Amino acid sequence: MPQRIIPRVNGPRVRIRTLILGGAFFATIWYLLQGLKLGDVSLESVRLEKHMNSGPLSHPYKFVKSSVDWGKLTPKYPPEKPFTPLPPAVSSRRIPKLPRVQHQFGPETGEFHQKRHNRRVAVRQLAVKSWNAYRTYAWKKDALLPLSGAGRDQFSGWAATLVDSLDTLWIMGMRDEFDEAIAAVAEIDFGKSTTPNVNIFETNIRYLGGLLAAYDLSKREILLQKAIELGDLIYAGFDTKNRMPVDNILLGPIKAGEGLQVEPQVVSASPGTLSLEMARLSQLTGNPKYYSAISRITDLFHAGQNQTALPGLFPMWVSMSKGDVISGNTFTLAGCVDSLYEYFPKMHFLFSGAEPKYLALTRNFLSAAKKYLLFRPFVPQNDDILMAGNRNVDIQTNNPYPIDPETEHLACFIGGTYALAGRLLSSPEDVSVGAKLTRGCVYAYKSFPTGIMPERLNMAYKSHLPKGFTTAKDARYILRPEAIESVFYMWRITGEQEWQEAAWDMFKAVERGTRTEKGAASVVDVTVQPGDIEREDYMESFWIAETLKYFYLVFSPPDIISLDKYVLNTEAHPFLRPAV
């Protein structure tokens, strides 16, 4: 930036003005320093923002075009035109402004500020260690093997951990690492894959979500270019007879212009979790085709929501080939369905309420889940907590069986979703439900000897059963983020101190349980004593992308990734909401 030349002007008015401005300057500095002593949140935010703001590159990079231009392929089944336009991203009399989501935080005391700062530093240190291990032993691989010191590909070989972690590097002020990672992203060839098929769900949430969020934060143009390449590949997954997406994109037939065949059945989260990323890509590019593609999926779920065996909820398995989201007798909020529900209020939020279908989908699912899937377990101290269970429906009579009190770590996202939706819908009751659900997962963490909740467990909920847990069907901890995700939302939405304390207890347990010399490793059995922990040779990409990011944000100033400015996808990638 060129230096400004200020002409020299003599005279008493200038000197007096200089004295006044100088005094004001020093007074401001004194005030800010006092604020820092007292733990002023806004000043610390400014310092963190300086780390997050765009600046000169420390690693040069050059865009490398993928070997296949997915956007230029001629589809076998062309989409109908005109495309469905994006909803307007502005408020109006027809579209009232949404309520504030995040708690209005005030100044901190010095003691509280220092404690929070120290905890954030501890989280960042673990993230740096994990990233350095990935960079050393698994660079450009999808995942790190932290015990053997090697890498592994599982999601097409496009460096899943690297792309998934981009926004975490940026948020934590790891500027050199971020720029080095972008240089590697520039060389990814989305025309080639280590497997003949590409999973549309994982590609969307980890890769496309990671690229879009990193672009929203840094405005590095190359990230948007790569996001468009990948978005065009995902869009090619809609080249089917009924323009519904496949679960796995077969690259050979697409390249040959043969189109794709939709699988007979897929888990409902697969098509239901394409909306947020594709809509954001349309917002950023101005190209409506991505949103138009997913809007047909939304229409299908919206039309069928109240026709299922448990009205308001969707079965675990759906058929995109038949356009059937109604049939099915297994219902859950956990794996296979989770992010379908998560995206209803988040799409409502991204569009600032301009598409009423998402509001209806949100309200109906919240009400139905309370009626059919949430239960209060019997625990020794009779804590006022909730858990999310499962329900099957009798195919012959269409009557639901009693609730199955099995839950999963994956289901722990639901507390944060209830709290977010409760704020958006001005429903204190749903915020309260979110708090009870989150306390349920915190309770599960505290209850096991390692301080970590297992992957899958059962709890007692009938009065004739002993109080507490009945099984730990899957005793692993595979670095999942869902519990700390809901703790993060509860902290940012309510401002209640219990959530930061819960987060710190969880972090200490997770750090201790997963610790290795080379990053962090999954835990084989969380039901053993801490000294008996065994670890698996695996570190998922969401460890850095989600779990550590949520811990870090709990202990960061609340205007870093404010919940009123950003919508986080199911992989914790923050998308900037269009200005309202």
Side-chain angles (χ1 to χ4, degrees):
M1 182 170 149
Q3 184 177 1
R4 293 182 61 197
I5 306 298
I6 303 175
R8 181 178 179 182
V9 181
N10 294 320
R13 289 185 181 176
V14 174
R15 287 198 295 270
I16 292 170
R17 186 174 60 189
T18 301
L19 289 170
I20 293 171
L21 290 174
F25 172 78
F26 286 112
T28 301
I29 294 297
W30 179 89
Y31 173 79
L32 290 176
L33 288 174
Q34 295 304 308
L36 183 58
K37 269 189 214 173
L38 295 173
D40 187 276
V41 173
S42 60
L43 179 56
E44 185 185 5
S45 300
V46 169
R47 288 180 144 188
L48 281 176
E49 289 285 3
K50 285 184 70 176
H51 287 292
M52 292 172 59
N53 287 339
S54 184
L57 298 175
S58 56
H59 295 271
Y61 54 73
K62 184 175 71 173
F63 175 71
V64 180
K65 193 171 179 61
S66 291
S67 56
V68 177
D69 189 338
W70 299 107
K72 290 187 176 178
L73 296 182
T74 302
K76 182 176 181 180
Y77 306 103
E80 293 181 8
K81 293 185 179 178
F83 291 125
T84 302
L86 280 164
V90 295
S91 293
S92 66
R93 289 181 181 175
R94 186 177 64 85
I95 309 167
K97 186 176 179 180
L98 294 179
R100 178 186 176 92
V101 170
Q102 189 159 287
H103 177 74
Q104 191 118 21
F105 289 88
E108 297 174 336
T109 63
E111 180 183 358
F112 178 83
H113 166 84
Q114 191 60 49
K115 181 169 68 172
R116 182 178 57 76
H117 170 77
N118 292 342
R119 291 173 174 180
R120 187 177 69 251
V121 169
V123 176
R124 188 181 187 277
Q125 287 174 343
L126 182 54
V128 170
K129 176 186 174 182
S130 298
W131 175 259
N132 287 341
Y134 170 77
R135 184 182 180 277
T136 301
Y137 302 107
W139 187 241
K140 296 187 180 180
K141 292 289 186 179
D142 286 341
L144 168 69
L145 302 178
L147 300 182
S148 55
R152 167 183 160 186
D153 283 334
Q154 64 188 120
F155 300 119
S156 302
W158 296 328
T161 294
L162 189 152
V163 178
D164 221 2
S165 302
L166 285 171
D167 52 5
T168 300
L169 299 176
W170 182 269
I171 290 167
M172 293 189 181
M174 300 168 66
R175 178 55 48 77
D176 289 346
E177 293 85 349
F178 179 82
D179 287 338
E180 182 184 33
I182 291 185
V185 168
E187 299 173 352
I188 295 176
D189 187 347
F190 290 126
K192 299 177 181 178
S193 171
T194 53
T195 55
N197 59 289
V198 172
N199 183 271
I200 200 168
F201 170 83
E202 300 291 358
T203 301
N204 180 66
I205 66 169
R206 300 189 197 225
Y207 288 114
L208 182 57
L211 292 169
L212 291 173
Y215 173 75
D216 266 343
L217 290 169
S218 71
K219 297 299 183 271
R220 301 282 199 241
E221 191 63 31
I222 197 170
L223 295 168
L224 184 56
Q225 290 177 287
K226 280 294 176 182
I228 292 170
E229 283 189 340
L230 195 57
D232 285 337
L233 169 58
I234 294 172
Y235 185 76
F238 288 74
D239 188 11
T240 63
K241 189 174 293 186
N242 64 357
R243 296 300 299 178
M244 287 293 169
V246 295
D247 195 38
N248 289 289
I249 304 171
L250 298 174
L251 299 184
I254 284 292
K255 290 179 181 178
E258 299 172 1
L260 298 170
Q261 290 188 344
V262 186
E263 298 89 346
Q265 276 194 324
V266 295
V267 296
S268 55
S270 179
T273 314
L274 301 176
S275 55
L276 200 62
E277 295 78 6
M278 296 291 269
R280 184 64 186 138
L281 185 57
S282 277
Q283 288 179 334
L284 287 170
T285 62
N287 189 337
K289 74 175 187 179
Y290 310 107
Y291 171 70
S292 185
I294 61 94
S295 68
R296 300 183 73 253
I297 303 173
T298 302
D299 291 343
L300 184 63
F301 280 109
H302 180 257
Q305 187 175 29
N306 292 319
Q307 301 176 47
T308 68
L310 298 182
L313 300 174
F314 295 98
M316 182 184 291
W317 294 88
V318 295
S319 176
M320 291 292 103
S321 60
K322 297 178 182 178
D324 180 5
V325 298
I326 298 171
S327 305
N329 68 326
T330 300
F331 295 82
T332 183
L333 295 174
C336 302
V337 183
D338 46 1
S339 46
L340 166 72
Y341 296 122
E342 178 187 353
Y343 274 21
F344 292 158
K346 289 184 175 181
M347 286 295 288
H348 174 65
F349 196 30
L350 182 71
F351 289 141
S352 299
E355 174 45 78
K357 291 187 182 74
Y358 294 109
L359 177 60
L361 285 162
T362 300
R363 279 182 169 154
N364 291 336
F365 118 73
L366 293 175
S367 176
K370 284 185 286 189
K371 180 177 180 181
Y372 295 113
L373 297 179
L374 305 187
F375 69 96
R376 181 174 178 179
F378 280 77
V379 290
Q381 302 302 319
N382 202 30
D383 300 59
D384 188 11
I385 61 176
L386 291 174
M387 285 291 195
N390 310 314
R391 282 259 188 173
N392 289 320
V393 175
D394 188 305
I395 299 175
Q396 303 299 325
T397 66
N398 212 36
N399 292 324
Y401 291 110
I403 195 167
D404 173 9
E406 177 179 305
T407 195
E408 299 177 39
H409 197 289
L410 276 166
C412 285
F413 85 96
I414 193 64
T417 296
Y418 261 92
L420 174 64
R423 272 297 165 89
L424 292 173
L425 275 56
S426 299
S427 172
E429 177 194 341
D430 286 319
V431 176
S432 177
V433 169
K436 292 178 182 181
L437 286 162
T438 306
R439 289 190 189 106
C441 291
V442 170
Y443 178 89
Y445 264 74
K446 291 190 298 185
S447 297
F448 287 87
T450 54
I452 305 174
M453 177 183 177
E455 180 78 353
R456 183 178 288 111
L457 55 82
N458 278 64
M459 297 191 76
Y461 81 105
K462 294 180 180 179
S463 58
H464 68 278
L465 293 174
K467 295 183 178 182
F469 301 89
T470 58
T471 70
K473 286 186 176 179
D474 186 343
R476 295 175 301 155
Y477 172 67
I478 61 172
L479 311 178
R480 286 205 187 277
E482 289 79 17
I484 185 58
E485 172 185 351
S486 284
V487 170
F488 161 74
Y489 275 99
M490 292 310 309
W491 161 245
R492 288 293 190 89
I493 288 172
T494 69
E496 294 170 0
Q497 187 58 36
E498 70 167 290
W499 304 114
Q500 283 207 331
E501 297 308 314
W504 183 240
D505 289 341
M506 291 164 66
F507 175 76
K508 288 186 294 182
V510 166
E511 191 277 334
R512 181 177 59 245
T514 63
R515 185 186 302 151
T516 72
E517 293 182 5
K518 305 180 183 75
S522 301
V523 177
V524 175
D525 187 349
V526 303
T527 68
V528 301
Q529 293 300 316
D532 298 326
I533 286 178
E534 293 181 48
R535 297 173 180 87
E536 291 183 299
D537 195 14
Y538 191 56
M539 188 185 91
E540 266 279 13
S541 73
F542 53 60
W543 169 246
I544 300 176
E546 292 188 78
T547 308
L548 292 180
K549 182 192 298 168
Y550 280 127
F551 277 119
Y552 185 82
L553 288 175
V554 169
F555 302 122
S556 292
D559 48 351
I560 302 300
I561 312 297
S562 163
L563 289 184
D564 289 300
K565 294 181 180 178
Y566 291 92
V567 182
L568 279 70
N569 88 333
T570 195
E571 199 76 0
H573 296 309
F575 300 159
L576 189 64
R577 294 179 62 221
V580 178

